[in-house]
Amino acid sequence: MSRAAIPSNKKNDFINAWRQVCAYSFPRKALAEFSSHKKTPIEFIEDLEILRFLELGHKVRMLKMSDKSISVDHKLDISKVEKIINKEIE
């Protein structure tokens, strides 16, 4: 996982990749270990929390999910999602 375009090649051409959709589920023990550590080196560079689990030696399983998801990265994104949910309920 990366915020950069990966995989890449010698020409730095971006060809194809998967989009990351975050839906995390972890055992309590793994969460306790996560919270007891500061950001790990690669997590600090990428600013992706899941990388801390990998750097601490935990296995992470990825699942293929819908490509119809909407990012909620900022408070303003919540209203966009709520409008879509309300339209689908009506």
Side-chain angles (χ1 to χ4, degrees):
M1 284 166 283
S2 177
R3 293 190 183 277
I6 57 172
S8 188
N9 59 28
K10 291 179 183 180
K11 297 178 185 177
N12 287 325
D13 293 334
F14 177 75
I15 298 169
N16 188 22
W18 291 87
R19 180 172 62 120
Q20 180 187 358
V21 176
C22 302
Y24 299 145
S25 174
F26 294 101
R28 184 182 301 256
K29 186 176 178 180
L31 290 173
E33 183 181 5
F34 174 89
S35 64
S36 70
H37 286 79
K38 292 182 180 179
K39 283 188 174 186
T40 51
I42 297 173
E43 177 195 5
F44 187 81
I45 294 167
E46 293 277 353
D47 198 27
L48 295 171
E49 300 87 0
I50 192 74
L51 294 173
R52 187 182 317 178
F53 286 100
L54 292 171
E55 289 185 88
L56 293 174
H58 293 277
K59 292 180 180 179
V60 174
R61 190 172 122 197
M62 305 272 227
L63 303 171
K64 187 174 180 179
M65 297 179 74
S66 169
D67 62 352
K68 305 285 187 250
S69 64
I70 300 168
S71 296
V72 179
D73 297 314
H74 305 281
K75 200 170 188 175
L76 295 174
D77 296 334
I78 296 170
S79 62
K80 292 181 208 173
V81 174
E82 288 175 336
K83 286 178 187 175
I84 292 168
I85 290 171
N86 288 332
K87 277 185 182 178
E88 290 182 8
I89 293 174
E90 294 174 358

